[in-house]
Amino acid sequence: MKIEEEIKQPTFKSEYHKAYINMVYTSGWLQQDQAAKFKPFGVTLQQYNVLRILRGQHPKPATISLLIERMLDKTSNASRIVDKLEAKELVTRKQCPSDRRTVDVLITEKGLELLKQMDPMEAGEGAGIRNLTEEEAEQLNALLDKIRNK
Amino acid sequence: MKIEEEIKQPTFKSEYHKAYINMVYTSGWLQQDQAAKFKPFGVTLQQYNVLRILRGQHPKPATISLLIERMLDKTSNASRIVDKLEAKELVTRKQCPSDRRTVDVLITEKGLELLKQMDPMEAGEGAGIRNLTEEEAEQLNALLDKIRNK
DNA sequence: GTACATTAAATGTATGTACATATATTTGCC
DNA sequence: GGCAAATATATGTACATACATTTAATGTAC
């Protein structure tokens, strides 16, 4: 469905304005789809993303700063997301001996096991992105990178 | 900057996976930029979106259902966003006489005045989308619509 | 080595999202 | 008319975002 019908707005001020609305809407659409798939596993998208970063580091620990640096949403509150993961015993957190300001966050066996189960439904696989051809996905990546050109 | 550098992830499983991450990241990037521009006006992006819909209806009132239908995020809680706008006296809310289950939400003069001030920085104008050519914006719209093809 | 700035993380508050449930009203069926 | 289903909105809870502030530890200047 075209974006005009989707949000019942027949016209846009410009192709640019439409593209902006379309981006925000489609991204929300993708994320909602993904969140629904993750729900049975008891972790949210953001918690999943943090677990993925931690697996990437494993068996080295990560600091909160490193998590923030790599998260999709930089301003989100990594401390509190780690709180939730710790409560589910998917990660451990302990003060780093060499710099006691920082905290070593490590994914647990249970966390690794959960990610393994979730791997087949990796973020983006199976969602609408697959409606594109490989070439179109490349085009999209190029357009998005250009948008963020600072 | 390419998305790989942006989130310090050197490779992706597939062009599709990269496109998914890129979409979510770029959309967040656009919204953060916009939210910062709106901040001096004391309304959030979502509150602004609701005000825009109400101006589109003006001088007719809108129901909460109509707002939900037209909002970018359908599952968001329109009632509570209207609460915030009402507290700022940007909208009024009163029970509709013909169907007392529904509520007539109307934008106030103050609300119209605020939107007028904000018009020059309309969502998406001036943000990164303008890095694209008109043709590229069209391409992007086509790709996004295709992603959502249900 | 003490004082001050910087850094890392945690915490507080307002807002919004996602989803389940509650409440009131209207509609439709008999 | 009476009652069940549907509808419109509001509310409760858990989670996340955005941003300011706090606390503790480290680095640096003198």
Side-chain angles (χ1 to χ4, degrees), chain B residues 16 25 28-29 32 36 52-53 63-64 67 87 107 112 120-121 126 130-131 135 137 141 147 149:
Chain B
Y16 293 107
Y25 182 80
W29 187 89
Q32 231 170 292
R52 285 288 308 269
I53 296 168
T63 60
I64 299 284
L67 293 178
I107 188 167
L112 288 169
M121 46 173 54
R130 285 280 174 187
N131 292 346
E135 249 183 30
N141 274 314
I147 287 173
N149 245 356

Side-chain angles (χ1 to χ4, degrees), chain A residues 69-110:
Chain A
E69 189 180 67
R70 309 220 174 158
M71 279 170 75
L72 294 190
D73 200 322
K74 313 270 188 228
T75 72
S76 96
N77 213 316
S79 286
R80 277 184 277 225
I81 294 178
V82 171
D83 284 349
K84 301 290 156 56
L85 292 171
E86 201 180 10
K88 293 173 195 157
E89 302 181 341
L90 300 173
V91 308
T92 60
R93 171 158 52 179
K94 63 166 189 281
Q95 202 175 48
C96 169
S98 65
D99 182 344
R100 286 189 305 171
R101 286 171 306 180
T102 71
V103 162
D104 280 347
V105 184
L106 261 174
I107 188 167
T108 62
E109 270 309 314
K110 190 173 165 189

